[in-house]
Amino acid sequence: MVHQHETNSADAELLPIDLRSDTVTKPTEAMYARMASAPIGDDGLDGDPTVRELEAVAAAAMGKDAGLFVPSCTMANLLAALAQSQRSEQIVLESTAHMYTSERGAATFTGQFYLAVAGTAGAMDLNLLQDALQGDGLKLRTALVAMETSHNNASGAVLSLEHMQAVHAMASARGVPVHLDGARLFNAAIALEVAPAQIAKHCDTVSLCLSKGLSAPAGAVLAGPHAVIDRSRRFRRMLGGTQRQIGILAAAGLEAIQVMGARLAEDHRRARTLSDALNEMHPKVSATIPQTNIVQVDLSLSGRDSAAWSGALESAGLRTRPWGRHRLRCVTHRHIDDADIERAVMAFRSVAAGLA
Ligand SMILES: Cc1ncc(COP(=O)(O)O)c(C=O)c1O
């Protein structure tokens, strides 16, 4: 069976280039094939063999004891918090981390407080982290520290292993576990040229999203020590995150983990090509220099806001995402090839031509 997304015909030329997110990636043909033939069971009853396999493969890839398949990375992060901290305790994280900017609404029902500390390129200020860990006996106890790599809001920046090691050592010295939001862990691993486990060894639990650059249609895995994963499994049921014959989806996840990581270097190269071209294009437009697959384009000098730019680019056949008032976010992924990058730059050029 040939799926619509795989067509590379003249028709595809008419489609807009979609740089809004790497979550738009469709399953590969190999994923569909594995989904069609996956042995399945009931993951809420006595288990699903393909889910079990995915959990074991993911845990091994991240160097952890056990894994838990969940519907989304948001749920993986939430379970890490629930399983490792109590009500009225705090979770410390960098102030632009996804868990803070987009997920901390969870506090309204977990009763956990999120303490954001300032950072640079997604890396927490270690002095501020030290203060938060120290406490004074009067403030909330810090029960969990969270990091993120690659860092979504920091334009795909990758934390250095030295930074991660320092955070882990500081937290461990106080008996505080560290969670890693590794939604794009494989991108970070490719950028650092190390195995994912070499990064994940600097944390106790780690979440990995299967549905971004790795192209699975949905799903994430939380990995960590047996006791934490067992607790998370119980919380997952409470949240309604236990799915039945979900081996069908786990099969795509297996393909994502075992096969799709290697090609991410291509996305990183194309993001860099895009960034270089935009930085040369117009003095009033500047782009971040990506370590991975995310480029933010700063338009604050252009006299137009990000909504106006994204509307104009859309008319020129390029989909981007406003990221605040003065920035656009462009993310490369499997459906973007070299010619698409050229067309994307042409679209930017045509809009920039209208600038004063
Ligand atoms: C760094 C990071 N963490 C977590 C998430 C949440 O992932 P999901 O959409 O699977 O819940 C995202 C989604 O964009 C993300 O970028």
Side-chain angles (χ1 to χ4, degrees), residues 31 34-36 38-40 48 50-51 217 245-253:
M31 281 178 189
R34 283 177 88 152
M35 290 167 86
I40 53 172
D48 177 297
T50 308
V51 169
Q245 284 140 36
I246 201 61
I248 290 180
L249 204 53

Side-chain angles (χ1 to χ4, degrees), residues 21 23 71-75 77 98-99 103 148 150-152 181 183-184 209 211-212 219-220 329:
S21 177
T23 56
S72 69
C73 202
T74 301
M75 189 182 284
N77 291 335
H98 197 274
M99 279 180 72
E103 300 173 30
E148 177 178 323
S150 68
H151 197 291
N152 188 28
D181 178 353
R184 295 184 181 82
C209 193
S211 69
K212 298 194 164 74
R329 178 195 198 230

Side-chain angles (χ1 to χ4, degrees), residues 60-81:
M62 295 188 272
K64 300 298 178 202
D65 294 343
L68 182 68
F69 187 38
V70 288
S72 69
C73 202
T74 301
M75 189 182 284
N77 291 335
L78 173 60
L79 291 174

Side-chain angles (χ1 to χ4, degrees), residues 214-227:
L214 298 181
S215 294
V221 177
L222 174 67
H226 284 295

